[in-house]
Amino acid sequence: MGDIPDVTFEGMEAANRIVADVLELLEKKVKPGVSTVRLDKIAEQYIRDQGGIPAFKGYRGYPATITTSINDQIVHGIPSDEQKIQPGDLVSIDVGCELNGCYGDSALTVGVEPLEPAAQKLMKITRESLYKGIAKARVGNRLGAIGASIEAHVVPYGFSVVKEWAGHFIGDEMHLDPQIPNYGPADWGPELEPGMYLAIEPMVNIGSYKSEVLADGWTVVTKDGSLSAHFEHSIAVTESGPKILSRRKNEVLM
Ligand code: MG
Ligand code: MG
Protein backbone atom coordinates (compact mmCIF):
# COMPACT_ATOMS: atom_id res chain seq x y z
CA MET A 1 0.00 0.00 0.00
CA GLY A 2 1.29 3.43 -0.92
CA ASP A 3 4.32 2.26 -2.81
CA ILE A 4 6.98 4.56 -4.18
CA PRO A 5 7.32 3.76 -7.88
CA ASP A 6 10.64 3.41 -9.69
CA VAL A 7 10.36 6.59 -11.74
CA THR A 8 12.02 10.01 -11.78
CA PHE A 9 10.29 13.31 -11.08
CA GLU A 10 11.49 14.55 -14.48
CA GLY A 11 10.03 11.49 -16.20
CA MET A 12 6.68 11.96 -14.51
CA GLU A 13 6.76 15.66 -15.32
CA ALA A 14 7.39 14.97 -19.02
CA ALA A 15 4.54 12.43 -19.35
CA ASN A 16 2.17 14.79 -17.59
CA ARG A 17 3.29 17.77 -19.69
CA ILE A 18 1.88 15.97 -22.73
CA VAL A 19 -1.39 15.22 -20.93
CA ALA A 20 -1.73 18.85 -19.84
CA ASP A 21 -1.04 20.14 -23.35
CA VAL A 22 -3.61 17.74 -24.85
CA LEU A 23 -6.30 19.01 -22.49
CA GLU A 24 -5.39 22.62 -23.16
CA LEU A 25 -5.72 21.91 -26.87
CA LEU A 26 -9.01 20.01 -26.56
CA GLU A 27 -10.55 22.61 -24.26
CA LYS A 28 -10.54 25.01 -27.22
CA LYS A 29 -12.03 22.42 -29.59
CA VAL A 30 -15.12 21.67 -27.50
CA LYS A 31 -17.83 23.41 -29.53
CA PRO A 32 -21.38 22.61 -30.67
CA GLY A 33 -21.42 20.18 -33.60
CA VAL A 34 -17.97 18.69 -32.94
CA SER A 35 -18.04 14.91 -32.53
CA THR A 36 -16.24 13.31 -29.62
CA VAL A 37 -14.35 11.09 -32.07
CA ARG A 38 -12.88 14.25 -33.58
CA LEU A 39 -11.54 15.23 -30.15
CA ASP A 40 -10.16 11.72 -29.72
CA LYS A 41 -8.28 11.88 -33.03
CA ILE A 42 -6.72 15.24 -32.14
CA ALA A 43 -5.57 13.83 -28.78
CA GLU A 44 -4.06 10.67 -30.24
CA GLN A 45 -2.20 12.58 -32.96
CA TYR A 46 -0.79 15.06 -30.45
CA ILE A 47 0.39 12.38 -28.03
CA ARG A 48 2.08 10.34 -30.77
CA ASP A 49 3.71 13.46 -32.23
CA GLN A 50 5.36 14.02 -28.83
CA GLY A 51 6.64 10.43 -28.76
CA GLY A 52 4.09 9.32 -26.19
CA ILE A 53 1.67 6.40 -26.17
CA PRO A 54 -2.04 6.86 -25.46
CA ALA A 55 -2.34 5.04 -22.14
CA PHE A 56 -6.06 4.34 -22.24
CA LYS A 57 -6.05 2.77 -25.69
CA GLY A 58 -6.09 -0.99 -25.28
CA TYR A 59 -6.34 -0.72 -21.50
CA ARG A 60 -8.64 -3.65 -20.66
CA GLY A 61 -9.77 -3.39 -24.28
CA TYR A 62 -10.72 0.31 -24.14
CA PRO A 63 -10.92 1.51 -27.78
CA ALA A 64 -9.90 5.19 -27.64
CA THR A 65 -7.28 7.71 -26.50
CA ILE A 66 -9.59 9.83 -24.35
CA THR A 67 -12.83 9.32 -22.51
CA THR A 68 -15.63 11.82 -23.16
CA SER A 69 -18.41 11.92 -20.59
CA ILE A 70 -21.26 14.31 -21.28
CA ASN A 71 -23.85 15.63 -18.79
CA ASP A 72 -25.13 12.68 -16.70
CA GLN A 73 -22.12 10.60 -17.77
CA ILE A 74 -19.63 10.63 -14.92
CA VAL A 75 -16.54 9.00 -16.46
CA HIS A 76 -15.36 6.51 -19.11
CA GLY A 77 -17.68 7.59 -21.96
CA ILE A 78 -16.42 6.25 -25.29
CA PRO A 79 -15.97 8.83 -28.08
CA SER A 80 -18.38 8.25 -30.94
CA ASP A 81 -19.02 9.67 -34.40
CA GLU A 82 -22.71 10.08 -33.62
CA GLN A 83 -22.09 11.95 -30.39
CA LYS A 84 -22.01 15.65 -31.30
CA ILE A 85 -21.46 18.29 -28.67
CA GLN A 86 -24.55 20.44 -28.00
CA PRO A 87 -25.02 23.92 -26.54
CA GLY A 88 -25.34 23.68 -22.75
CA ASP A 89 -23.37 20.43 -22.47
CA LEU A 90 -20.94 19.60 -19.70
CA VAL A 91 -18.15 17.68 -21.42
CA SER A 92 -15.70 15.80 -19.20
CA ILE A 93 -12.50 14.73 -20.95
CA ASP A 94 -9.97 12.37 -19.40
CA VAL A 95 -6.63 11.51 -20.98
CA GLY A 96 -3.68 9.31 -20.11
CA CYS A 97 -0.23 9.13 -21.67
CA GLU A 98 2.84 6.93 -21.28
CA LEU A 99 6.25 8.38 -22.00
CA ASN A 100 9.42 6.36 -21.40
CA GLY A 101 7.69 4.15 -18.83
CA CYS A 102 6.14 7.03 -16.89
CA TYR A 103 2.42 7.76 -16.83
CA GLY A 104 0.40 10.96 -16.88
CA ASP A 105 -3.34 11.18 -16.17
CA SER A 106 -5.55 14.26 -16.03
CA ALA A 107 -9.13 15.30 -16.68
CA LEU A 108 -11.30 18.38 -16.88
CA THR A 109 -14.89 19.34 -17.52
CA VAL A 110 -15.64 21.95 -20.17
CA GLY A 111 -18.94 23.79 -20.22
CA VAL A 112 -20.53 24.73 -23.55
CA GLU A 113 -22.47 28.00 -23.52
CA PRO A 114 -25.21 28.73 -22.69
CA LEU A 115 -24.74 26.93 -19.40
CA GLU A 116 -27.41 26.50 -16.73
CA PRO A 117 -26.35 28.25 -13.51
CA ALA A 118 -26.48 24.89 -11.68
CA ALA A 119 -24.10 23.34 -14.21
CA GLN A 120 -21.74 26.28 -13.87
CA LYS A 121 -21.75 25.95 -10.11
CA LEU A 122 -21.17 22.19 -10.25
CA MET A 123 -18.11 22.74 -12.45
CA LYS A 124 -16.70 25.43 -10.20
CA ILE A 125 -17.18 23.50 -6.97
CA THR A 126 -15.76 20.28 -8.43
CA ARG A 127 -12.67 22.11 -9.69
CA GLU A 128 -12.24 23.83 -6.33
CA SER A 129 -12.56 20.47 -4.57
CA LEU A 130 -9.67 19.11 -6.65
CA TYR A 131 -7.40 21.90 -5.40
CA LYS A 132 -8.65 21.34 -1.83
CA GLY A 133 -7.69 17.68 -2.15
CA ILE A 134 -4.30 18.47 -3.67
CA ALA A 135 -3.52 20.88 -0.82
CA LYS A 136 -3.75 17.93 1.60
CA ALA A 137 -1.21 15.85 -0.32
CA ARG A 138 1.52 16.74 2.16
CA VAL A 139 4.24 14.66 3.74
CA GLY A 140 2.99 13.35 7.07
CA ASN A 141 -0.72 13.63 6.22
CA ARG A 142 -2.59 10.39 5.80
CA LEU A 143 -4.10 9.55 2.42
CA GLY A 144 -7.64 9.98 3.75
CA ALA A 145 -7.02 13.70 4.29
CA ILE A 146 -7.42 14.21 0.53
CA GLY A 147 -10.88 12.66 0.20
CA ALA A 148 -12.06 14.15 3.47
CA SER A 149 -11.17 17.61 2.22
CA ILE A 150 -12.89 17.07 -1.15
CA GLU A 151 -16.06 15.79 0.50
CA ALA A 152 -16.09 18.63 3.03
CA HIS A 153 -15.95 21.17 0.21
CA VAL A 154 -18.66 19.58 -1.96
CA VAL A 155 -21.36 18.46 0.46
CA PRO A 156 -22.38 21.91 1.86
CA TYR A 157 -23.48 22.89 -1.67
CA GLY A 158 -25.91 19.96 -1.74
CA PHE A 159 -23.80 18.07 -4.29
CA SER A 160 -22.58 14.52 -3.80
CA VAL A 161 -19.24 12.83 -4.29
CA VAL A 162 -19.19 9.66 -6.39
CA LYS A 163 -18.20 6.74 -4.16
CA GLU A 164 -17.87 3.79 -6.52
CA TRP A 165 -14.99 5.37 -8.46
CA ALA A 166 -11.83 6.89 -7.07
CA GLY A 167 -8.40 8.34 -7.74
CA HIS A 168 -5.27 6.22 -7.57
CA PHE A 169 -1.52 6.18 -7.16
CA ILE A 170 0.35 6.52 -10.46
CA GLY A 171 3.93 6.10 -11.67
CA ASP A 172 5.35 3.28 -13.81
CA GLU A 173 1.75 2.16 -14.32
CA MET A 174 -1.36 4.25 -14.73
CA HIS A 175 -3.27 2.69 -11.84
CA LEU A 176 -1.25 1.77 -8.78
CA ASP A 177 -2.68 0.84 -5.38
CA PRO A 178 -4.10 2.11 -3.21
CA GLN A 179 -7.18 3.88 -4.52
CA ILE A 180 -7.79 7.46 -3.42
CA PRO A 181 -11.48 7.81 -2.49
CA ASN A 182 -13.04 11.27 -2.70
CA TYR A 183 -14.74 10.88 0.67
CA GLY A 184 -14.24 9.40 4.09
CA PRO A 185 -12.25 10.07 7.26
CA ALA A 186 -8.99 12.04 7.21
CA ASP A 187 -7.20 9.64 9.57
CA TRP A 188 -7.34 6.72 7.16
CA GLY A 189 -4.72 5.11 4.90
CA PRO A 190 -0.95 5.29 4.54
CA GLU A 191 1.10 8.32 5.52
CA LEU A 192 2.15 10.34 2.50
CA GLU A 193 5.86 10.32 1.66
CA PRO A 194 8.09 12.15 -0.82
CA GLY A 195 8.33 10.22 -4.10
CA MET A 196 4.67 9.22 -4.16
CA TYR A 197 2.66 10.23 -7.22
CA LEU A 198 -1.10 10.57 -6.92
CA ALA A 199 -3.89 10.97 -9.47
CA ILE A 200 -6.52 12.89 -7.53
CA GLU A 201 -9.87 13.02 -9.30
CA PRO A 202 -13.11 14.18 -7.70
CA MET A 203 -16.28 13.17 -9.55
CA VAL A 204 -19.21 15.21 -8.29
CA ASN A 205 -22.95 14.88 -9.01
CA ILE A 206 -25.69 17.45 -8.61
CA GLY A 207 -28.02 14.71 -7.34
CA SER A 208 -27.36 11.37 -5.69
CA TYR A 209 -23.86 9.84 -5.53
CA LYS A 210 -25.18 6.62 -7.02
CA SER A 211 -23.82 5.50 -10.38
CA GLU A 212 -24.24 2.67 -12.84
CA VAL A 213 -22.35 1.34 -15.85
CA LEU A 214 -24.12 1.31 -19.24
CA ALA A 215 -24.44 -1.78 -21.45
CA ASP A 216 -21.28 -0.76 -23.39
CA GLY A 217 -19.37 -1.94 -20.32
CA TRP A 218 -17.59 1.40 -19.89
CA THR A 219 -19.77 4.49 -19.60
CA VAL A 220 -20.51 5.36 -15.97
CA VAL A 221 -23.64 7.49 -15.51
CA THR A 222 -25.50 8.95 -12.57
CA LYS A 223 -28.35 6.68 -11.56
CA ASP A 224 -30.78 9.60 -11.20
CA GLY A 225 -29.76 11.24 -14.49
CA SER A 226 -28.34 14.32 -12.75
CA LEU A 227 -25.34 16.23 -14.10
CA SER A 228 -21.81 15.24 -13.15
CA ALA A 229 -18.40 16.91 -13.36
CA HIS A 230 -14.85 15.51 -13.12
CA PHE A 231 -11.46 17.14 -12.64
CA GLU A 232 -8.17 15.29 -12.20
CA HIS A 233 -4.52 16.08 -11.74
CA SER A 234 -1.45 13.91 -11.33
CA ILE A 235 0.69 15.34 -8.56
CA ALA A 236 3.98 14.59 -6.84
CA VAL A 237 4.28 14.49 -3.06
CA THR A 238 7.49 16.38 -2.20
CA GLU A 239 9.21 17.72 0.91
CA SER A 240 8.18 21.21 -0.19
CA GLY A 241 4.52 20.31 -0.75
CA PRO A 242 2.39 18.98 -3.57
CA LYS A 243 3.55 19.67 -7.14
CA ILE A 244 0.87 19.57 -9.85
CA LEU A 245 2.51 17.76 -12.76
CA SER A 246 -0.43 18.03 -15.17
CA ARG A 247 -1.02 21.74 -14.65
CA ARG A 248 -2.04 23.40 -17.90
CA LYS A 249 -0.16 26.51 -19.01
CA ASN A 250 -3.43 28.47 -19.06
CA GLU A 251 -4.70 27.06 -15.77
CA VAL A 252 -5.50 29.52 -13.01
CA LEU A 253 -5.46 27.81 -9.61
CA MET A 254 -8.41 28.52 -7.31
MG1 MG B 1 -7.91 10.09 -15.69
MG1 MG C 1 -7.11 8.60 -13.11
Side-chain angles (χ1 to χ4, degrees):
M1 292 287 273
D3 282 346
I4 295 187
D6 187 17
V7 291
T8 62
F9 180 88
E10 291 73 23
M12 290 299 290
E13 207 173 28
N16 277 287
R17 178 81 265 134
I18 297 175
V19 156
D21 289 347
V22 168
L23 288 178
E24 192 175 338
L25 181 65
L26 293 185
E27 205 176 3
K28 294 176 206 143
K29 305 277 181 192
V30 172
K31 294 211 171 84
V34 174
S35 80
T36 47
V37 155
R38 176 83 194 116
L39 299 177
D40 190 68
K41 289 206 160 71
I42 292 168
E44 176 164 13
Q45 189 64 53
Y46 186 86
I47 290 171
R48 295 201 190 278
D49 285 349
Q50 309 305 309
I53 300 166
F56 295 175
K57 205 164 194 176
Y59 181 85
R60 294 183 182 166
Y62 185 76
T65 294
I66 61 173
T67 66
T68 48
S69 311
I70 299 184
N71 296 332
D72 65 323
Q73 301 177 346
I74 301 171
V75 284
H76 306 165
I78 305 171
S80 125
D81 265 325
E82 289 87 66
Q83 188 184 45
K84 302 273 198 290
I85 291 163
Q86 310 287 332
D89 275 351
L90 280 191
V91 184
S92 298
I93 303 172
D94 197 341
V95 62
C97 169
E98 181 196 347
L99 183 72
N100 303 322
C102 293
Y103 282 79
D105 187 6
S106 183
L108 53 66
T109 298
V110 185
V112 185
E113 296 296 333
L115 273 186
E116 295 283 343
Q120 207 128 34
K121 191 167 178 192
L122 175 70
M123 264 176 51
K124 177 172 180 279
I125 301 308
T126 308
R127 196 153 89 83
E128 284 173 2
S129 79
L130 170 60
Y131 300 131
K132 300 277 182 197
I134 291 170
K136 296 292 180 186
R138 295 195 163 272
V139 175
N141 271 355
R142 294 183 72 175
L143 183 61
I146 296 169
S149 169
I150 290 169
E151 187 178 33
H153 186 64
V154 164
V155 168
Y157 293 95
F159 300 147
S160 63
V161 166
V162 173
K163 298 190 171 166
E164 286 136 311
W165 299 89
H168 49 95
F169 279 52
I170 186 168
D172 52 355
E173 287 179 49
M174 190 164 55
H175 294 133
L176 294 171
D177 285 336
Q179 288 200 336
I180 307 175
N182 294 304
Y183 69 98
D187 60 353
W188 167 89
E191 262 192 32
L192 298 177
E193 296 171 37
M196 289 176 168
Y197 296 92
L198 318 178
I200 301 174
E201 48 180 315
M203 292 151 259
V204 177
N205 303 342
I206 280 191
S208 155
Y209 72 89
K210 289 186 179 147
S211 66
E212 59 190 358
V213 180
L214 296 185
D216 64 16
W218 283 102
T219 313
V220 182
V221 299
T222 58
K223 218 165 186 172
D224 61 8
S226 69
L227 290 176
S228 189
H230 178 214
F231 287 87
E232 174 181 29
H233 270 315
S234 293
I235 66 117
V237 180
T238 79
E239 290 288 3
S240 54
K243 294 272 181 299
I244 303 178
L245 300 173
S246 51
R247 184 173 176 179
R248 298 177 297 283
K249 292 190 186 88
N250 66 350
E251 181 175 356
V252 180
L253 301 184
M254 298 157 80

